[in-house]
Amino acid sequence: MEQRRVQIMARGLPKQRPIEGVKQVVVVASGKGGVGKSTTAVNLALALAANDSSKAVGLLDVDVYGPSIPKMMNLKGNPELSQRNLMRPLLNYGIACMSMGFLLEETAPVVWRGLMVMSAVEKLLRQVDWGQLDYLVVDMPPGTGDVQLSVSQNIPISGAVIVSTPQDVALMDARKGAEMFRKVHVPVLGLIQNMSVFQCPKCKHKTHIFGADGARKLAQTLDLDVLGQSFPTDRCGSGEEITPTSSMMPRRGEVDNKRTFQSQQCGGSTCQDRSSPSWHFVLFCFVFPKEMMSYFQILFAMT
């Protein structure tokens, strides 16, 4: 009886099929929303392309309810159809991008039940003409629900990157996300700690607003590596855009990369000028060092 049950359950699981033309797939996920997962996915795609200009990189946004990639990649418009009736990704910075945000009005909410969402995810996975890609970075929605399970079971994934902020609430969900991928036999490459520290642009005083080393402690518990953490704002606090803009990555119009927040104040004793902005955020201020890129490439070569 138990053997029969196992056979029935196995029959119900979808058979994994690679995405046509894609060599390696890495998913960027988080248990909690709002931790910078999409920003990390964008930076990972840009870093992979910048690290080796001979590699073709794509970025797939499967967050159906809250797609962020169109805004972050400064892209608008509807995908064209190929002769095979497949959607062609939109291109910017040398990265081929596909998102549900290209198929809907920017302000239109997605009020769908689960079956419609799964149908949309299936189309994003199977009805896009990616051409030939070395890497496809997949920006997952937060949580451990239907979309994560469907993507994990339908396509072979080289590895998953878990993004979290240092506070306990986010780390609890990040752990669940890592455990979910392990249950569906997807290798977890490691953790990334975002929003690690705020550094005042005036006095350089550093404040760990959300706590310190939370991801590092979780990584030790899960026996994982910490792949990186967000820069202190002394690197990007000037508001200068540091997006790669080589000939391989042509710019497409001006990017609204800077956001300034004047409500925060630094606790540093030498910071006197409170009238100037205290927070600066540059979209691409999360940088992946070459050592991390080499780490990814070694792992992918082993799969």
Side-chain angles (χ1 to χ4, degrees), residues 116-144:
M116 292 183 68
V117 173
M118 299 315 299
S119 176
V121 171
E122 178 70 17
K123 286 180 172 58
L124 291 172
L125 291 176
R126 301 298 177 192
Q127 296 185 19
V128 178
D129 183 6
W130 291 106
Q132 297 297 315
L133 290 182
D134 294 285
Y135 303 111
L136 178 64
V137 179
V138 181
D139 181 20
M140 302 280 268
T144 56

Side-chain angles (χ1 to χ4, degrees), residues 26-29 35-49 57-62 68-69 72-73 95 97 136-141 161-163 192 194 283-284 286 288 292-293 296:
V26 56
V27 298
V28 179
V35 297
K37 169 183 51 59
S38 297
T39 305
T40 302
V42 166
N43 278 273
L44 177 56
L46 289 168
L48 284 168
V57 182
L59 182 58
L60 174 60
D61 184 0
V62 293
S68 303
I69 297 306
M72 291 190 170
M73 292 298 290
I95 308 295
C97 303
L136 178 64
V137 179
V138 181
D139 181 20
M140 302 280 268
V161 176
I162 307 298
V163 182
I192 288 176
N194 200 13
L283 181 61
F284 301 120
F286 202 116
F288 293 82
M292 180 179 170
M293 293 295 93
F296 272 110

Side-chain angles (χ1 to χ4, degrees), residues 2-202:
E2 179 64 20
Q3 185 178 2
R4 176 64 175 164
R5 186 186 71 82
V6 171
Q7 290 175 347
I8 293 173
M9 290 290 291
R11 207 163 50 213
L13 292 176
K15 187 176 181 180
Q16 282 191 342
R17 289 189 297 121
I19 299 176
E20 185 178 351
V22 177
K23 294 180 181 178
Q24 306 286 352
V25 176
V26 56
V27 298
V28 179
S30 66
K32 182 71 69 179
V35 297
K37 169 183 51 59
S38 297
T39 305
T40 302
V42 166
N43 278 273
L44 177 56
L46 289 168
L48 284 168
N51 188 61
D52 188 346
S53 60
S54 67
K55 301 298 185 183
V57 182
L59 182 58
L60 174 60
D61 184 0
V62 293
D63 191 346
V64 175
Y65 290 114
S68 303
I69 297 306
K71 180 68 173 177
M72 291 190 170
M73 292 298 290
N74 192 32
L75 286 169
K76 290 184 180 179
N78 301 116
E80 297 179 353
L81 294 179
S82 69
Q83 292 182 347
R84 295 188 297 159
N85 207 34
L86 299 177
M87 294 181 289
R88 288 191 175 126
L90 277 65
L91 186 69
N92 201 13
Y93 304 113
I95 308 295
C97 303
M98 180 53 62
S99 170
M100 197 68 199
F102 299 144
L103 308 176
L104 300 169
E105 293 293 332
E106 186 175 355
T107 58
V110 177
V111 189
W112 291 351
R113 294 186 185 275
L115 288 176
M116 292 183 68
V117 173
M118 299 315 299
S119 176
V121 171
E122 178 70 17
K123 286 180 172 58
L124 291 172
L125 291 176
R126 301 298 177 192
Q127 296 185 19
V128 178
D129 183 6
W130 291 106
Q132 297 297 315
L133 290 182
D134 294 285
Y135 303 111
L136 178 64
V137 179
V138 181
D139 181 20
M140 302 280 268
T144 56
D146 288 344
V147 174
Q148 288 84 352
L149 191 60
S150 179
V151 172
S152 302
Q153 292 179 340
N154 275 281
I155 61 173
I157 297 174
S158 300
V161 176
I162 307 298
V163 182
S164 180
T165 48
Q167 69 264 48
D168 291 342
V169 174
L171 292 167
M172 287 171 54
D173 290 342
R175 179 169 187 167
K176 294 174 185 176
E179 296 291 359
M180 184 215 73
F181 284 114
R182 284 176 167 175
K183 286 195 174 190
V184 294
H185 308 295
V186 172
V188 180
L189 302 179
L191 301 179
I192 288 176
Q193 180 170 281
N194 200 13
M195 306 181 194
S196 299
V197 62
F198 165 70
Q199 180 169 293
C200 178
K202 295 294 182 181

